[in-house]
Amino acid sequence: MPDAGIYAKFEDLSPFEIKDELIRLAQADKAGRVYLNAGRGNPNWIATRAREAFFLLGQFALTEAKRVSYDEAAGLAGMPPTDGCYGRLKAWVQKRKGDPDIPGAETLEAVVDFAIKKFAFEPDKFVDELTDSIIGDHYPVPDRALVHNEAITHEYLMWAMCAGHRPSAKFDLYPVEGGTAAMCYIFKALKNARLLNSGDTIALVTPIFTPYLEMPHLEDYALKQVHVSAEAEDRFQLTDEDLKALEDKSVKALFIVNPGNPSAVALDPESMGRLVKFVKTKRPDLMILTDDVYGTFVPNFESVMGHLPHNTIGVYSYSKYFGCTGWRLGVVAVAQDNIFDKAIRALPESAQKLMDARYKALTPHPREIKFIDRIVADSRDVALNHTAGLSLPQQVMMSLFGLVEMMDEDKIYQKACMAICQRRFDKLMNGMGIEFHARPYFDRYYGIIDYEFWARKYVGDEVTDWVKQNVHPLDIAFKLAEDHGIVVLNGSGFDAPNWSVRVSFANLPDEAYDSIGRAIRAVARGYLQAYRASKGELAQP
């Protein structure tokens, strides 16, 4: 067995940094071996209809710009005009409908008319927002979110994050450059609003996406952490015992990824009810951030923001569901009636004066700035607030993704995405030679393979205890890379069990997962053989 000391230099690294070494080992030239990277969650599918509409809309927008002025020799045109643009779009699309070489005409016409009817948009104003924005010739105005995009995205979020429990609350939205940007902006704004200060304590529902574990330690924030462990034994759900840690009022905020990453399990109704009751009866002051990027992979998903809108900042990314990680599309949602604004107003005068000085260039009344608008301003260090906001072509793509999904009443696209993950999950289980009956709240986007749990069930405690005493937990991931050309991430980096790895079901062909399952079983078999060999040596006279 390898010396555990060789893994010491990797123990403090993020799994996303360890993966570079795993990739190097897995890509080593070994005859007949296929390299499989199941360590990252970039899906290998894309949503086509919204993209077809997007690229066709761009062509129409160029014809509109040329209507104003056009210097063909210079390649220079004006800005798309507003008056009559809806009628011109309809006529332009009609000429292209039914042409197999011009996909997207039917979708573009349908989504525009759907939005106008559903949201009572003025046709010319809505089409102008689309055409001017896709050209990208202006700064975002309003800087936080385009008017029509905010209405569309709000309705989409009510399905994506609150399909099973839609709140009556209205949310203000801030479209951002993906979920990662949302995290950075929110951490920064909470600090600048004096809602989280150096030395304060936050709680994390673990296991959790690694950056939530790492960012609080940065000197920028210097936050203490309490881990609320939603363990496999509890089906990754919150128990009454778990919530006791939150009774301490020094715990200022609770951070949740729901469904979990890497657990891939959403909070079930019992767990959600337990959290809601706890907050309403014991901690109405508790700030909550919920990151719900995988919610669309759970039928009738219920977000914490739907049940506790007053307390919650919602974060959603379009990346996984629509296969658009490169587009960097995300959104921050804060209810218009929220504890964040109230907490800011309740701060002592000394803190108020510091914030007055910070935001005085934005308004004569800086104390009236809403928390979500502080997030926007802080994302550009306040001084550049006038150029804040997600780029306009990105906001158009966001609108089109949302509209196409809303029109899919039978949720054909959602079912197809879920079916992909289900097939791959089934193949992994087949390769491992085990049966596992997932509960309804398992999204199957990722999976945690807990070697210790599996080994105790199939080979017993004695073997498992020997392996834990003689093998380093990182050995599983390294053996899969070096011996089988397979990259997975170590679960310990997510505060999952030490003897676990995270597998992504999103980014490899279906047939790869049977091979991954067999490789995981082969590694386990190697540990069993090493155990038996050690017993044989001990038995010799």
Side-chain angles (χ1 to χ4, degrees), residues 481-519:
E482 189 166 14
D483 297 347
H484 301 275
I486 294 169
V487 174
V488 296
L489 300 187
N490 57 298
S492 56
F494 300 85
D495 204 37
N498 272 346
W499 286 85
S500 67
V501 294
R502 189 195 78 168
V503 177
S504 167
F505 294 112
N507 66 323
L508 293 171
D510 293 3
E511 59 273 13
Y513 290 91
D514 193 72
S515 299
I516 294 171
R518 290 196 302 270

Side-chain angles (χ1 to χ4, degrees), residues 348-539:
E349 184 64 18
S350 58
Q352 298 286 359
K353 287 182 177 179
L354 288 171
M355 288 189 287
D356 288 348
R358 180 175 181 83
Y359 299 107
K360 67 180 181 180
L362 304 184
T363 172
H365 309 289
R367 298 188 188 190
E368 296 177 8
I369 301 176
K370 294 192 292 186
F371 175 63
I372 194 161
D373 291 317
R374 293 169 190 256
I375 299 176
V376 178
D378 287 333
S379 75
R380 297 298 184 268
D381 289 328
V382 183
L384 293 168
N385 181 73
H386 62 288
T387 59
L390 185 65
S391 81
L392 300 188
Q394 286 173 285
Q395 292 197 52
V396 172
M397 189 77 261
M398 184 180 288
S399 290
L400 293 175
F401 278 136
L403 289 169
V404 170
E405 183 60 49
M406 281 182 238
M407 292 176 64
D408 183 5
E409 294 182 355
D410 294 328
K411 296 304 168 197
I412 297 170
Y413 179 82
Q414 183 188 36
K415 291 172 184 174
C417 292
M418 290 177 176
I420 291 171
C421 295
Q422 178 71 62
R423 286 197 305 271
R424 296 171 181 179
F425 172 79
D426 291 342
K427 286 184 176 293
L428 182 82
M429 294 298 101
N430 180 68
M432 290 180 66
I434 64 174
E435 291 186 8
F436 179 81
H437 301 289
R439 301 180 76 236
Y441 306 99
F442 180 39
D443 66 39
R444 297 173 180 79
Y445 198 92
Y446 297 116
I448 293 179
I449 310 300
D450 186 342
Y451 173 80
E452 180 178 356
F453 179 84
W454 182 40
R456 290 194 187 282
K457 181 176 180 180
Y458 288 95
V459 297
D461 291 339
E462 184 177 344
V463 177
T464 307
D465 291 339
W466 180 90
V467 173
K468 289 185 68 176
Q469 292 168 9
N470 291 275
V471 182
H472 194 283
L474 288 176
D475 190 64
I476 302 172
F478 276 80
K479 264 197 165 44
L480 285 169
E482 189 166 14
D483 297 347
H484 301 275
I486 294 169
V487 174
V488 296
L489 300 187
N490 57 298
S492 56
F494 300 85
D495 204 37
N498 272 346
W499 286 85
S500 67
V501 294
R502 189 195 78 168
V503 177
S504 167
F505 294 112
N507 66 323
L508 293 171
D510 293 3
E511 59 273 13
Y513 290 91
D514 193 72
S515 299
I516 294 171
R518 290 196 302 270
I520 292 171
R521 186 166 60 178
V523 170
R525 190 184 306 119
Y527 295 148
L528 178 59
Q529 291 169 348
Y531 162 78
R532 288 172 174 167
S534 74
K535 300 300 286 185
E537 293 169 1
L538 291 172

